[in-house]
Amino acid sequence: SISINKDLLVLRKVISALKKDQHKAAIMSRKGSPIHVPYRDSKLTRLLRNSLEGTSRIFVIDSVSCGCDCSEESSTKLHNLQKCSTNKAL
Protein backbone atom coordinates (compact mmCIF):
# COMPACT_ATOMS: atom_id res chain seq x y z
CA SER A 1 0.00 0.00 0.00
CA ILE A 2 2.94 2.36 0.56
CA SER A 3 4.00 1.94 -3.07
CA ILE A 4 0.48 2.67 -4.32
CA ASN A 5 0.24 5.81 -2.19
CA LYS A 6 3.64 6.97 -3.46
CA ASP A 7 2.61 6.38 -7.08
CA LEU A 8 -0.64 8.28 -6.58
CA LEU A 9 1.21 11.17 -4.93
CA VAL A 10 3.64 11.35 -7.86
CA LEU A 11 0.70 11.18 -10.30
CA ARG A 12 -0.84 14.17 -8.55
CA LYS A 13 2.49 16.05 -8.79
CA VAL A 14 2.72 15.26 -12.53
CA ILE A 15 -0.83 16.48 -13.16
CA SER A 16 -0.15 19.67 -11.19
CA ALA A 17 3.08 20.28 -13.13
CA LEU A 18 1.29 19.77 -16.44
CA LYS A 19 -1.43 22.22 -15.41
CA LYS A 20 1.20 24.80 -14.40
CA ASP A 21 2.98 24.32 -17.72
CA GLN A 22 -0.30 24.69 -19.62
CA HIS A 23 -1.18 27.85 -17.68
CA LYS A 24 2.31 29.28 -18.18
CA ALA A 25 2.11 28.68 -21.94
CA ALA A 26 -1.24 30.47 -22.10
CA ILE A 27 0.13 33.54 -20.33
CA MET A 28 3.52 33.93 -22.01
CA SER A 29 5.58 32.42 -24.77
CA ARG A 30 7.66 29.30 -24.23
CA LYS A 31 10.91 31.30 -24.00
CA GLY A 32 11.04 30.83 -20.24
CA SER A 33 12.42 27.77 -18.51
CA PRO A 34 10.21 24.68 -18.80
CA ILE A 35 8.54 23.27 -15.72
CA HIS A 36 9.95 19.91 -14.57
CA VAL A 37 7.42 17.08 -14.82
CA PRO A 38 8.50 14.17 -12.55
CA TYR A 39 7.50 11.24 -14.80
CA ARG A 40 10.43 9.07 -13.65
CA ASP A 41 9.54 9.26 -9.96
CA SER A 42 7.16 6.26 -10.14
CA LYS A 43 6.33 3.29 -12.34
CA LEU A 44 2.74 4.46 -12.72
CA THR A 45 3.67 7.85 -14.18
CA ARG A 46 6.22 6.25 -16.50
CA LEU A 47 3.48 3.96 -17.82
CA LEU A 48 1.00 6.82 -18.21
CA ARG A 49 3.44 9.36 -19.69
CA ASN A 50 2.03 9.25 -23.25
CA SER A 51 -1.51 9.55 -21.97
CA LEU A 52 -0.66 12.44 -19.67
CA GLU A 53 1.20 14.31 -22.41
CA GLY A 54 -1.85 14.10 -24.64
CA THR A 55 -0.42 11.77 -27.28
CA SER A 56 -3.00 9.10 -26.38
CA ARG A 57 -6.22 8.78 -24.40
CA ILE A 58 -6.76 7.57 -20.87
CA PHE A 59 -9.88 6.22 -19.21
CA VAL A 60 -9.96 6.37 -15.40
CA ILE A 61 -12.19 4.11 -13.31
CA ASP A 62 -12.34 4.33 -9.54
CA SER A 63 -14.62 3.07 -6.80
CA VAL A 64 -16.04 4.96 -3.85
CA SER A 65 -17.94 3.80 -0.79
CA CYS A 66 -21.05 5.28 0.79
CA GLY A 67 -20.00 4.11 4.25
CA CYS A 68 -19.20 6.66 6.94
CA ASP A 69 -15.89 4.96 7.73
CA CYS A 70 -14.64 5.57 4.16
CA SER A 71 -16.02 9.07 3.60
CA GLU A 72 -12.65 10.87 3.75
CA GLU A 73 -10.99 8.43 1.33
CA SER A 74 -13.95 8.59 -1.07
CA SER A 75 -13.94 12.38 -0.94
CA THR A 76 -10.22 12.47 -1.78
CA LYS A 77 -10.73 10.06 -4.69
CA LEU A 78 -13.57 12.15 -6.11
CA HIS A 79 -11.51 15.33 -5.75
CA ASN A 80 -8.57 13.77 -7.64
CA LEU A 81 -10.85 12.39 -10.36
CA GLN A 82 -12.43 15.80 -10.79
CA LYS A 83 -8.99 17.36 -11.23
CA CYS A 84 -8.20 14.80 -13.92
CA SER A 85 -11.47 15.26 -15.77
CA THR A 86 -11.26 19.06 -15.87
CA ASN A 87 -7.79 19.05 -17.42
CA LYS A 88 -8.37 19.04 -21.19
CA ALA A 89 -4.64 18.68 -21.91
CA LEU A 90 -4.66 15.23 -20.37
Side-chain angles (χ1 to χ4, degrees):
S1 93
I2 293 172
S3 177
I4 293 170
N5 288 337
K6 177 187 175 251
D7 286 348
L8 292 175
L9 178 65
V10 173
L11 179 61
R12 189 172 185 171
K13 287 180 182 180
V14 167
I15 291 170
S16 294
L18 289 171
K19 282 187 172 186
K20 286 179 188 175
D21 195 37
Q22 181 183 34
H23 180 68
K24 182 180 174 183
I27 293 175
M28 60 187 223
S29 67
R30 290 269 199 188
K31 294 178 185 175
S33 61
I35 292 175
H36 172 69
V37 181
Y39 291 115
R40 294 184 179 184
D41 290 355
S42 81
K43 290 180 183 180
L44 178 64
T45 53
R46 275 185 263 147
L47 289 171
L48 295 175
R49 183 175 184 160
N50 290 335
S51 297
L52 294 168
E53 287 178 338
T55 57
S56 63
R57 294 182 183 255
I58 185 170
F59 188 77
V60 179
I61 299 175
D62 205 342
S63 62
V64 293
S65 174
C66 298
C68 293
D69 56 335
C70 300
S71 63
E72 185 177 341
E73 182 180 348
S74 294
S75 176
T76 302
K77 285 181 181 182
L78 290 171
H79 178 71
N80 289 334
L81 287 172
Q82 182 182 17
K83 287 177 95 174
C84 289
S85 66
T86 57
N87 190 345
K88 300 301 180 196
L90 298 177

